[in-house]
């Protein structure tokens, strides 16, 4: 990004990659926390429950499979095949 390579379509492609990676990492952390803490904080700690609800709502702005498909189409259109 610092060298200006993340502009126009390259920037859009990078944004899709970063958003997907961050969303997957955050969802993994939420799952680990759910398993580690159990239901008590969600039921009895209003601050924790609100933070979790807010994060889950924020993460839904990433459209999971639809955004992954858009990333795949963008990679193909750019002539990239990272696999």
């Amino acid at each position: 990004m610092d060298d200006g390579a993340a502009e126009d379509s390259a920037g859009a492609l990078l944004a899709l990659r970063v958003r997907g990676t961050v969303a997957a990492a955050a969802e993994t952390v939420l799952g680990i926390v759910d398993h580690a803490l159990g239901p008590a904080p969600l039921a009895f700690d209003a601050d924790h429950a609100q933070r979790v609800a807010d994060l889950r709502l924020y993460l839904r702005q990433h459209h999971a499979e639809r955004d992954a498909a858009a990333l795949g189409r963008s990679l193909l259109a750019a002539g990239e095949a990272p696999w």
Side-chain angles (χ1 to χ4, degrees):
M1 297 181 86
D2 291 339
D3 67 358
E7 296 178 357
D8 301 321
S9 62
L13 183 59
L14 179 60
L16 283 171
R17 284 179 161 158
V18 170
R19 286 184 193 126
T21 300
V22 170
E27 289 182 2
T28 297
V29 169
L30 280 171
I32 291 169
V33 170
D34 284 347
H35 289 179
L37 299 180
L42 293 172
F44 303 114
D45 183 343
D47 289 336
H48 175 79
Q50 186 61 56
R51 283 188 212 97
V52 170
D54 289 347
L55 180 55
R56 289 189 192 280
L57 178 62
Y58 177 77
L59 288 172
R60 291 296 47 91
Q61 294 177 48
H62 179 262
H63 301 288
E65 287 78 8
R66 184 172 63 187
D67 286 355
L71 173 58
R73 284 189 301 275
S74 295
L75 287 169
L76 288 174
E80 292 190 38
W83 50 88

